[in-house]
């Protein structure tokens, strides 16, 4: 598996200027589209079809006859898991995949998952049919009432804020230029989804032979940090008494995790993984100071904000006025966020991996003189780390025999089952963060658009990319319901993607209750214990939904049964090769 930061969408045209071309016999533009996607390395085509897909369906049927393997069509019967699967596939491989949805309404269904992909900088080539343009005159002209009712004045308008580029293919002759541009826009940093509309008339347009360049026409730009600013950052670090790194997404690239570990170790810097979207820093490392900046922020005199949109909550805690804030990232000031007031005294634009290693190099010359001071700091950090880990474990162990089961005890036990081979998608909350593997690329958590329902689909996409890995999705009962579970279980069975889904079933939206308590600590809800709009009772036998799709399902109510149930479920996944779901009845807050 490669990290996202290390992959590029094709190598671009050869620099010697050679223009190798590939010819293909096709009958129409839809066939040419799939041929071109295959040539550009697209392996999967996640789709939920409609009448707009006529020529695409026909083109796939031809490819099947021809024994052409890629792109493989994957039917995902809802757009939320569809986009989430493409998202998950990218998280695991760093390679963009293609998806297609049904005109405007399919786009609308997938929009929330696409907003997630946008905020998480995930490149997805999302195509959509467009209602037939003509009322007569073409085999593709309108022939159903929906073709009038489904047309929009501006189909892409609903998602333009969340894609980097959108276009409607006007003629088959544009195909290569348009697809190459779409993929290049998606993969150019900061990456993100793009949207291509494909009218039926264009898809059906007859063609006989197409000739495409063997390589995409764009070499993608790279960004390198400003070395003068790197030097300034290094000097600030050398002088710092208590530097602190806060990150949420450094693990986006595995190389950045390695660079972070190196810098933290060399300089004795504490690292906070705040609202992590990835495995950013090994939880077992003595410089790992946990998941909340609150207790350390005021003490820090140099704060490195590394690939982190929200480094602290200003209405709760603030850095010291004299602290220097350094923001690092490919888009360090988050140009697509309307409001983001975190100061940046020194801004370092570039791949975090490169920025951090350059800083480590720049500090190396001066470290010798500071070694004694750094050693003291390392010892202090090690102590804070040990206390923090002990706190997590103590909280979980204390609740070991509680019935209903305590969520922290669930995470503690899930952790005991993890191996280097496991990949976890966590869409539930914080109790899983401490218990993640130490390896980059092994843990993924909700992107910061906060769309719930992403986790199950993303886990399926990850499993599709990594069939030999054990994939576990940890979700709340709310998240599970949002994920369109029947569509996900269907895909798991149809495409042989055996994953384990663990539902932390607390029969409510705890997050909504907590928000109500925070805003109205002495309010009606807090005083009466009634939280309308936040309950999910009576709960359901979610395990039976999994069974309905050929999976293994079990309801777990007894804390002593957690380990045996996890073993049974993992056996079903790894030996019987079928999906499994544990419906764990947790405390109802
Ligand atoms: C699509 C969508 N709708 C609503 C929300 C608001 N929301 C945030 S957390 C949450 C509750 C999630 O419930 P659950 O998965 O059971 O986790 P819990 O809060 O109980 O730990 C909701 C509804 C959201 N984030 N996304």
């Amino acid at each position: 598996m490669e990290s996202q930061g290390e992959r590029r969408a094709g190598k671009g045209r050869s620099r010697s200027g050679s223009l190798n071309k590939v010819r293909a016999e096709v009958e129409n533009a839809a066939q040419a589209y799939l041929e071109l996607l295959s040539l550009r390395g697209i392996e999967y085509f996640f789709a939920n079809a409609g009448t707009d897909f006529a020529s695409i369906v026909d083109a796939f049927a031809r490819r099947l006859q021809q024994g052409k393997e890629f792109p493989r069509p994957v039917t995902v019967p809802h757009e939320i898991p569809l986009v989430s699967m493409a998202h998950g596939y990218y998280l695991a491989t760093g390679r963009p995949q293609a998806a297609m949805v049904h005109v405007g309404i399919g786009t609308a269904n997938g929009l929330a998952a696409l907003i997630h992909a946008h905020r998480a900088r995930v490149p997805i080539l999302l195509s959509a049919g467009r209602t037939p343009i003509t009322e007569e005159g073409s085999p593709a002209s309108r022939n159903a009432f929906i073709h009038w009712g489904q047309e929009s004045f501006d189909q892409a308008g609903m998602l333009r804020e969340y894609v980097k580029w959108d276009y409607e293919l006007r003629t088959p002759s544009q195909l290569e230029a348009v697809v190459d541009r779409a993929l290049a826009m998606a993969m150019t940093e900061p990456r993100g989804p793009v949207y291509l509309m494909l009218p039926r008339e264009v898809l059906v347009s007859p063609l006989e032979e197409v000739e495409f360049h063997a390589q995409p026409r764009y070499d993608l730009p790279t960004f390198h940090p400003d070395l003068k600013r790197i030097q300034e950052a290094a000097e600030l670090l050398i002088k710092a008494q208590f530097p602190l790194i806060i990150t949420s997404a450094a693990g986006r690239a595995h190389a950045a995790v390695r660079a972070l570990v190196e810098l933290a170790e060399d300089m004795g810097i504490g690292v906070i993984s705040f609202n992590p979207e990835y495995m950013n820093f090994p939880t077992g490392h003595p410089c790992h100071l946990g998941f909340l900046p609150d207790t350390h922020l005021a003490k820090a005199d140099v704060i490195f904000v590394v690939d982190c949109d929200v480094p602290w909550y200003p209405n709760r805690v603030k850095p010291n006025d004299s602290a220097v804030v350094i923001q690092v990232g490919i888009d360090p000031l988050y140009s697509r966020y309307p409001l983001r007031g975190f100061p940046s005294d020194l801004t370092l634009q570039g791949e975090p991996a490169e920025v951090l290693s350059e800083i480590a190099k720049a500090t190396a010359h001066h470290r010798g003189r500071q070694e004694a001071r750094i050693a003291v700091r390392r010892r202090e950090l090690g102590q804070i780390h040990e206390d923090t880990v002990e706190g997590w474990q103590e909280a979980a162990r204390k609740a070991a025999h509680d019935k209903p089961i305590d969520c922290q005890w669930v995470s503690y036990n899930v952790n005991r089952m993890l191996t280097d081979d496991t990949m976890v998608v966590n869409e539930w909350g914080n109790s899983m963060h401490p218990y993640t593997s130490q390896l980059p690329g092994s843990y993924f958590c909700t992107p910061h658009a906060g769309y719930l329902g992403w986790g199950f689909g993303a886990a399926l996409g990850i499993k599709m990319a990594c069939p030999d890995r054990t994939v576990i999705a940890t979700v709340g009962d709310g998240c599970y319901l949002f994920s369109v579970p029947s569509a996900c279980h269907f895909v798991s069975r149809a495409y042989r993607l055996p994953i384990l889904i663990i539902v932390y079933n607390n029969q409510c939206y705890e997050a909504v209750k907590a928000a109500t308590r925070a805003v109205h600590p002495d309010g009606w809800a807090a005083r009466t214990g009634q939280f309308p709009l936040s309950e999910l009772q009576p709960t359901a036998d979610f395990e039976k939904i999994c069974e309905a799709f050929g999976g293994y399902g079990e309801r777990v109510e007894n804390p002593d049964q957690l380990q045996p149930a996890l073993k049974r479920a993992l056996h079903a996944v790894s030996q019987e090769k079928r999906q499994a779901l544990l419906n764990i009845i947790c405390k109802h807050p």
Side-chain angles (χ1 to χ4, degrees), residues 223-226 307 328-332 348-355:
F223 299 84
H224 298 289
D226 174 342
D307 210 339
V328 177
I330 212 77
D331 179 21
L348 295 170
Q349 184 169 31
E351 293 276 5
E354 195 183 349
V355 173

Side-chain angles (χ1 to χ4, degrees), residues 270-459:
V271 178
I272 306 279
S273 193
F274 189 37
N275 296 312
E277 292 178 66
Y278 301 87
M279 198 302 275
N280 296 314
F281 196 78
T283 42
H285 194 285
C287 292
H288 198 306
L289 301 189
F291 299 94
L292 286 175
D294 301 29
T295 46
H296 307 294
L297 198 67
K299 193 175 159 200
D301 51 354
V302 174
I303 301 165
F304 259 89
V305 176
V306 178
D307 210 339
C308 186
D309 54 355
V310 181
W312 59 83
Y313 296 141
N315 79 343
R316 201 162 78 187
V317 59
K318 282 200 176 107
N320 198 311
D321 277 345
S322 60
V324 178
V325 179
I326 304 174
Q327 298 212 31
V328 177
I330 212 77
D331 179 21
L333 301 185
Y334 290 79
S335 50
R336 300 298 301 149
Y337 281 41
L339 175 68
R340 181 177 181 273
F342 306 104
S344 186
D345 303 304
L346 183 60
T347 306
L348 295 170
Q349 184 169 31
E351 293 276 5
E354 195 183 349
V355 173
L356 296 170
S357 359
E358 288 296 337
I359 293 176
K361 265 194 249 161
T363 51
H365 307 301
H366 310 279
R367 246 184 350 247
R369 273 179 284 137
Q370 307 293 333
E371 199 43 65
R373 200 156 60 90
I374 293 174
V376 172
R377 200 156 65 208
R378 277 199 207 103
R379 277 198 294 280
E380 272 174 27
L381 294 175
Q383 192 55 55
I384 303 175
H385 169 77
E386 271 176 37
D387 296 346
T388 309
V389 172
E390 186 46 36
W392 298 331
Q393 303 205 335
E394 179 63 18
R397 282 195 299 258
K398 249 192 192 159
H401 303 293
D402 290 3
K403 195 171 173 204
I405 300 173
D406 190 280
C407 290
Q408 298 202 54
W409 183 238
V410 182
S411 297
Y412 183 90
N413 278 278
V414 173
N415 174 54
R416 288 172 60 194
M417 308 303 288
L418 303 183
T419 65
D420 285 355
D421 152 75
T422 318
M423 295 166 93
V424 175
V425 177
N426 176 33
E427 190 186 28
W428 171 69
N430 287 318
S431 88
M432 200 52 213
H433 293 340
Y435 304 113
T436 49
S437 153
Q438 308 300 303
L439 300 172
S442 58
Y443 182 64
F444 303 97
C445 196
T446 317
H448 287 185
Y451 169 72
L452 294 187
W454 159 90
F456 196 167

Side-chain angles (χ1 to χ4, degrees), residues 80 112 116 407 427-430 446 449-453 475-482 503-514 533-534 536 587 589:
I80 285 298
H116 241 185
C407 290
E427 190 186 28
W428 171 69
N430 287 318
T446 317
Y451 169 72
L452 294 187
V475 298
D477 47 336
C479 294
Y480 177 70
L481 289 168
F482 278 116
V503 182
Y504 289 62
N505 185 351
N506 62 5
Q507 309 112 64
C508 71
Y509 291 156
E510 184 177 4
V512 178
K513 290 187 175 187
L533 307 178
S534 317
L536 291 177
K587 286 175 189 165

Side-chain angles (χ1 to χ4, degrees), residues 104-254:
I105 51 175
T107 304
N109 256 4
L111 185 52
L114 197 86
I115 292 174
H116 241 185
H118 160 74
R119 284 292 191 234
R121 301 192 202 145
V122 168
I124 295 172
L125 168 53
L126 179 68
S127 48
R130 185 220 184 279
T131 205
I133 300 163
T134 53
E135 293 182 303
E136 55 188 319
S138 157
S141 294
R142 301 180 181 198
N143 61 354
F145 63 89
I146 54 170
H147 295 152
W148 282 265
Q150 284 183 342
E151 188 169 29
S152 325
F153 288 105
D154 179 11
Q155 185 172 311
M158 75 177 96
L159 47 59
R160 192 159 288 128
E161 183 170 347
Y162 302 105
V163 292
K164 289 181 68 184
W165 172 95
D166 68 86
Y167 195 66
E168 178 177 314
L169 190 70
R170 313 261 161 80
T171 104
S173 62
Q174 298 175 302
L175 198 57
E176 185 181 349
V178 166
V179 169
D180 275 355
R181 184 154 177 78
L183 288 170
M185 292 302 103
M187 287 297 280
T188 301
E189 297 286 1
R191 294 175 183 178
V194 292
Y195 186 63
L196 176 62
M197 282 167 291
L198 303 168
R200 270 209 326 194
E201 284 90 341
V202 179
L203 289 175
V204 82
S205 303
L207 290 173
E208 282 177 6
E209 193 186 59
V210 281
E211 198 178 59
F212 296 126
H213 293 96
Q215 298 291 338
R217 65 182 59 203
Y218 304 106
D219 173 43
L220 302 184
T222 51
F223 299 84
H224 298 289
D226 174 342
L227 293 179
K228 197 167 147 269
R229 285 168 184 239
I230 292 280
Q231 197 53 46
E232 275 179 61
E235 279 160 25
L236 284 164
L237 261 190
I238 292 287
K239 288 186 206 139
Q241 291 300 317
F242 189 78
L244 185 67
I245 294 173
I246 306 175
T247 181
S248 58
R252 197 193 296 278
H254 303 183

